[in-house]
Amino acid sequence: MQMRTAALQKKVEAEAVFDTHPEVSLDFKYVQAALKEGYTKPFLLVDSNLIRNKARRFKATMPLVHPHYAVKANPDPRVLRTMIEEGVGFEIASISELDLLLSLGVPAAEVYYSNPMKARAYLEYAASKGVEWYVLDSIEELRKIVSVKPDAKMYLRIDTPNIGSDWPLAGKFGTHASEIQAIINEAVKLKADLAGVTFHVGSQCRNPQNWRVGIERAKKVFADMRRVGLTPRLLNIGGGYPVRHVKPIPSIEVIGEVINAAIADLPKDIRIMAEPGRYLVSDTAYFVCRVVGTATRNGKRWMYWDAGMFGGVIEVTEGLRYEILSDRTGHSIPWSIAGPTCDSVDILMHDEMLPADIQEGDFIYLPNAGAYTTAYASNFNGFPLPDVIVL
Ligand SMILES: Cc1ncc(COP(=O)(O)O)c(C=O)c1O
């Protein structure tokens, strides 16, 4: 057993650096065809067939883990419909996401309310619509949920390492180990149905060991729950499954091997679910925008796109790096890249090596940008929201 664990660990480390598994990506010919129709504003071109492939691959890799798509990643109704057709469930952050799902015919019981901080009015609304499962990570949220819906089924979001995640989510949420017992005791006192554990390893997580640690911690919490008479029935291993950009990533198969090994000894009456967002939509899409102008400032070259941090390209501001493509083939020079607004925070990157001959009017293509792009975009400064085209 130890040999196997050591061998697996070695394989994971090797794979994490030299990922040889083929990853899908939207075929660029579809982008070229869309541009032939004309261009008026930035757009995201999504291939729903690739969403289907990703959903199937996720399920095939982890047959015991039910995927519940994180709607926030890309809430386009056509994307959601494809998930429904593939038998994927959902997790939500707000009641407008819930309404969207209900309007598409998703049963409320398939929807998990995974935002650890929910307005009382939102809880009342979700409860009235039939949502059964609610997350919490504090005593106050436990009391709030129980006061609105005494028979709510609840899962505790615990703190877990976000080491090696390009978009860390630790810090804002997740009960610290030292506070878990007090929440469990309060659940017993309130006769509340605290029945599960969840964690989030951080988005675009390139370190499979974070899931192993999260699952081990969850098992300890299950034991603490059982000790006081609670009945754990849910393990929710959250999101974080990465897609290919410019850094090496472990494939879903490598991550799945770690997760499958970690969940193998869980009792059969514990439902295991995950909340993939990025993994199911990112590499099914290209984000396309255009250079509105270039400039030289203090000897440095700048280019300005018609989509910046307010127009869908916000994730670069926290360290995520897209592959950036253009039709130019000139030698590379360091560019500063900014969005079109007058706000000085709307700067995307410095020293990005791109062709020196990029000019006003050129198209910029960001592969694998189907998640957290259009979902983040606003009309700030009067610029239009990007279009979403779904094939
Ligand atoms: C509670 C919750 N679940 C799932 C996700 C999806 O994460 P990812 O897109 O990294 O898979 C998020 C993302 O922020 C989240 O907050």
Side-chain angles (χ1 to χ4, degrees):
M1 181 65 191
Q2 209 164 20
M3 274 273 298
R4 177 162 161 69
T5 312
L8 177 61
Q9 172 72 28
K10 228 171 150 189
K11 182 172 179 219
V12 166
E13 279 164 12
E15 293 269 5
V17 185
F18 305 110
D19 177 4
T20 53
H21 291 266
E23 297 288 332
V24 288
S25 233
L26 173 63
D27 194 324
F28 191 65
K29 72 177 185 216
Y30 294 113
V31 176
Q32 290 168 317
L35 283 171
K36 281 214 180 90
E37 305 285 307
Y39 179 93
T40 52
K41 59 177 181 167
F43 66 89
L44 185 74
L45 183 66
V46 185
D47 185 344
S48 54
N49 273 327
L50 293 182
I51 296 179
R52 291 181 200 287
N53 292 346
K54 300 285 316 238
R56 287 172 198 182
R57 185 169 163 194
F58 190 95
K59 288 186 190 179
T61 305
M62 290 174 270
L64 298 178
V65 181
H66 300 273
H68 283 247
Y69 174 59
V71 176
K72 59 179 79 73
N74 186 331
D76 187 279
R78 293 159 292 182
V79 169
L80 301 179
R81 227 174 266 126
T82 310
M83 300 292 175
I84 294 168
E85 284 164 16
E86 288 302 315
V88 171
F90 297 93
E91 80 78 18
I92 55 163
S94 68
I95 56 171
S96 47
E97 289 185 349
L98 173 61
D99 277 340
L100 192 49
L101 294 173
L102 295 177
S103 74
L104 296 170
V106 177
E110 278 294 303
V111 179
Y112 285 63
Y113 204 153
S114 284
N115 184 340
M117 200 50 72
K118 298 164 281 304
R120 185 172 290 274
Y122 277 33
L123 275 172
E124 287 165 354
Y125 185 81
S128 76
K129 293 290 175 188
V131 175
E132 295 178 359
W133 284 92
Y134 300 82
V135 78
L136 61 98
D137 70 350
S138 66
I139 286 214
E140 292 90 333
E141 191 71 4
L142 170 71
R143 292 184 186 135
K144 197 200 293 174
I145 297 170
V146 172
S147 70
V148 171
K149 186 172 165 61
D151 65 344
K153 300 171 195 162
M154 288 170 285
Y155 44 114
L156 180 67
R157 173 145 163 191
I158 59 170
D159 189 34
T160 203
N162 276 212
I163 304 157
S165 300
D166 283 351
W167 190 268
L169 293 169
K172 185 173 177 186
F173 295 123
T175 310
H176 191 262
S178 62
E179 282 137 16
I180 291 174
Q181 194 59 52
I183 295 178
I184 292 176
N185 293 345
E186 184 70 4
V188 173
K189 196 173 119 198
L190 295 174
K191 298 192 171 41
D193 190 9
L194 182 59
V197 176
T198 189
F199 55 82
H200 200 302
V201 296
S203 201
Q204 187 68 3
C205 174
R206 295 180 297 109
N207 173 13
Q209 295 306 319
N210 287 349
W211 279 279
R212 185 184 55 73
V213 174
I215 293 167
E216 294 310 325
R217 287 186 185 174
K219 287 180 190 168
K220 286 204 184 80
V221 180
F222 288 157
D224 294 340
M225 286 176 161
R226 283 194 197 95
R227 216 169 293 126
V228 294
L230 296 176
T231 316
R233 306 191 296 284
L234 179 75
L235 172 64
N236 176 349
I237 61 172
Y241 317 90
V243 297
R244 190 184 298 290
H245 290 299
V246 294
K247 298 179 191 167
I249 56 160
S251 67
I252 197 71
E253 287 77 13
V254 167
I255 294 171
E257 213 171 323
V258 173
I259 291 173
N260 290 339
I263 61 176
D265 61 352
L266 275 177
K268 295 286 164 276
D269 53 356
I270 293 200
R271 179 176 204 267
I272 308 168
M273 61 173 274
E275 299 178 342
R278 189 185 300 282
Y279 178 79
L280 294 180
V281 284
S282 255
D283 42 12
T284 70
Y286 262 85
F287 188 82
V288 180
C289 61
R290 198 169 210 181
V291 177
V292 291
T294 57
T296 301
R297 307 202 186 287
N298 200 14
K300 291 199 161 168
R301 292 294 285 150
W302 283 72
M303 70 172 88
Y304 296 80
W305 296 352
D306 56 359
M309 68 175 284
F310 302 105
V313 197
I314 194 170
E315 285 209 298
V316 293
T317 60
E318 287 290 329
L320 191 116
R321 281 284 166 266
Y322 294 107
E323 191 183 355
I324 301 171
L325 306 175
S326 80
D327 297 311
R328 300 282 172 187
T329 53
H331 70 280
S332 291
I333 60 160
W335 286 90
S336 289
I337 305 174
T341 68
C342 295
D343 199 313
S344 57
V345 303
D346 192 9
I347 296 173
L348 301 178
M349 285 160 257
H350 289 294
D351 297 323
E352 188 69 25
M353 298 303 288
L354 289 170
D357 51 347
I358 286 182
Q359 291 171 22
E360 177 206 339
D362 283 3
F363 290 114
I364 298 292
Y365 313 103
L366 305 182
N368 301 359
Y372 306 114
T373 45
T374 46
Y376 267 122
S378 82
N379 284 117
F380 185 52
N381 273 212
F383 289 99
L385 293 177
D387 251 340
V388 182
I389 305 166
V390 180
L391 300 172

